[in-house]
Amino acid sequence: MTQLVTVCGLVIALASCARSQAQTQPPRQRTAPLVSPEVATDGKVTFRLRAPNANSVALHGEWTNDTIPMTKDEGGNWSVTVGPLPSEVYAYSFTVDGLGIGDPQNPTVKLAARGAAQSLVAIPGNPPRLHDPQNVPHGTVQENWYYSNPLNHELRHFYVYAPPGYDARNSAGYPVLVLLHGAGNAETNWESIGRANFILDNLIAQKRAKPMLLVMPFGHAVPQNGPDQARNNELFEDDLLTSVMPALEKQYRVASGARNRAVAGLSMGGMQALAIGLHHPELFSWVGVYSPIAESDFATRYAAQLSQATALNQKLALVWIGCGTADNLFKGAKMIDETLTQHGIKHQFHPSEGGRHTWVLWREYLEQMAPMLFR
């Protein structure tokens, strides 16, 4: 009994001591969460990163070619304010002691083909621009999985935007626009930074574009810069026609006929879209080519198709080509324009004065082309 009393007394004493220490010690201070990016009403943007052990941190933004150094405060937080920036959606990243990273405080990202990410910041327009989310009916974006026959039954996926009010019972079906991304990018890019879904929501609400399905597949049929890279476009074209489109038609109500099919893409995707349009005008009547990578042997590669100008002009309702004059690919885009003109292939060429190789132009190109489709 004496031992029990002694133990109980010790426990009580320790508990009393712990309470006393807790009362005398100051409460632990929680680190306030960083806000990054912080967009002000005047278009200025503040970027922040907590990296107390870093020696140097810099910001890289799509709005400039310059590297922007950031400043460290006493708490180990780095920051910089830029702008005001024009109303756009921009990709950005940080370099921390030579290591490139996305913004850990920002869940909105632009994925790349191999998974690496940049972060995104949106500067809304006033009034809102076509790529801004507005108070209109919105469509849905769904991920779809399929096995690719040309790629040895590899499991792949594509994304589909269905317009507001999509009705699977619609016997007439919906026209389809296939949107292709650029080299090194991911199939999510036309949604995340291209904002194709918001553009279509707003155009449809304004009755400027027909309700349509947007199909966004992965344009890298083989790993980028891999040994089979030379066959990428050929394999992707086969994958799109024999696997993606049949999978789409099983899952969604799709209108039949080439006049209800369009294909458009940027950079590498622009090259792919043009090839698909020239090879298969019986499947796609509408072709959009944005800042394309131009094949140096374009005229000889497509000699058979270019020699059939009358047939192509009858089948292709629109070939729309756009590129910025400050883009390194402009010379190639101009060559495509001149070659099509020499062979009597009807098309539209839209050089954008001073435009660079950025999503700023590609969103505008989609905004200009979408209202023309399926008319």
Side-chain angles (χ1 to χ4, degrees):
M1 180 64 71
T2 302
Q3 291 179 345
L4 178 60
V5 172
T6 302
V7 171
C8 291
L10 179 60
V11 170
I12 293 172
L14 289 174
S16 176
C17 180
R19 285 196 299 271
S20 176
Q21 289 180 349
Q23 292 172 355
T24 58
Q25 290 180 354
R28 180 177 296 176
Q29 297 294 323
R30 290 188 176 183
T31 304
L34 290 182
V35 176
S36 181
E38 184 177 1
V39 181
T41 55
D42 62 357
K44 292 183 179 179
V45 186
T46 299
F47 299 89
R48 299 182 177 94
L49 178 71
R50 178 171 288 118
N53 297 323
N55 295 312
S56 67
V57 177
L59 170 70
H60 305 271
E62 191 179 26
W63 58 89
T64 179
N65 292 324
D66 297 330
T67 297
I68 305 171
M70 300 176 68
T71 302
K72 183 180 181 181
D73 66 16
E74 294 179 355
N77 300 318
W78 298 78
S79 66
V80 68
T81 299
V82 301
L85 300 178
S87 60
E88 286 293 349
V89 183
Y90 301 101
Y92 71 94
S93 62
F94 300 126
T95 299
V96 182
D97 290 342
L99 174 66
I101 63 170
D103 188 341
Q105 305 301 320
N106 184 357
T108 308
V109 299
K110 174 192 173 189
L111 294 177
R114 296 184 177 179
Q118 294 175 291
S119 299
L120 297 175
V121 58
I123 315 299
N126 186 18
R129 301 184 60 182
L130 273 177
H131 63 256
D132 287 329
Q134 300 182 33
N135 187 17
V136 300
H138 292 284
T140 61
V141 179
Q142 186 178 41
E143 183 179 18
N144 295 266
W145 293 88
Y146 71 101
Y147 283 97
S148 172
N149 295 324
L151 303 180
N152 299 317
H153 300 283
E154 176 186 338
L155 181 63
R156 291 164 64 88
H157 60 176
F158 60 93
Y159 288 82
V160 175
Y161 161 89
Y166 171 80
D167 185 358
R169 299 167 297 176
N170 180 356
S171 59
Y174 292 81
V176 174
L177 168 58
V178 178
L179 277 175
L180 308 179
H181 61 78
N185 289 169
E187 63 273 45
T188 59
N189 289 170
W190 265 112
E191 178 193 10
S192 62
I193 188 168
R195 292 197 166 188
N197 53 319
F198 292 143
I199 291 172
L200 263 294
D201 287 342
N202 293 326
L203 286 173
I204 292 169
Q206 296 173 15
K207 301 188 182 304
R208 293 172 54 195
K210 285 194 171 185
M212 66 185 77
L213 297 170
L214 300 183
V215 182
M216 295 164 277
F218 188 42
H220 287 288
V222 298
Q224 189 180 16
N225 300 323
D228 292 330
Q229 181 61 41
R231 298 190 62 216
N232 183 71
N233 290 349
E234 170 194 347
L235 291 171
F236 170 72
E237 183 175 317
D238 196 8
D239 180 52
L240 177 68
L241 300 184
T242 65
S243 294
V244 173
M245 297 305 289
L248 173 77
E249 291 164 357
K250 288 181 180 179
Q251 183 69 21
Y252 297 87
R253 185 71 73 172
V254 176
S256 62
R259 290 281 168 164
N260 289 307
R261 304 288 173 87
V263 59
L266 64 94
S267 196
M268 177 187 76
M271 173 175 58
Q272 293 171 331
L274 184 57
I276 291 167
L278 292 176
H279 287 151
H280 299 284
E282 77 284 359
L283 299 178
F284 296 91
S285 285
W286 313 80
V287 181
V289 185
Y290 310 158
S291 309
I293 295 174
E295 294 151 309
S296 58
D297 58 347
F298 176 77
T300 55
R301 182 184 292 268
Y302 299 99
Q305 290 77 24
L306 295 173
S307 66
Q308 303 294 321
T310 301
L312 273 180
N313 289 334
Q314 290 175 347
K315 293 178 180 179
L316 293 176
L318 175 68
V319 178
W320 196 103
I321 304 170
C323 190
T325 58
D327 192 327
N328 291 334
L329 300 182
F330 181 76
K331 183 177 180 180
K334 183 62 177 173
M335 177 271 291
I336 292 173
D337 163 54
E338 293 172 349
T339 302
L340 294 179
T341 299
Q342 291 168 4
H343 288 82
I345 308 299
K346 294 180 182 178
H347 66 286
Q348 297 183 17
F349 183 55
H350 300 267
S352 300
E353 188 63 35
R356 299 185 297 121
H357 203 71
T358 71
W359 282 96
V360 172
L361 271 187
W362 303 325
R363 285 190 294 267
E364 292 178 0
Y365 288 165
L366 178 61
E367 293 169 4
Q368 294 173 38
M369 181 180 172
M372 305 172 69
L373 299 177
F374 316 122
R375 301 294 187 181

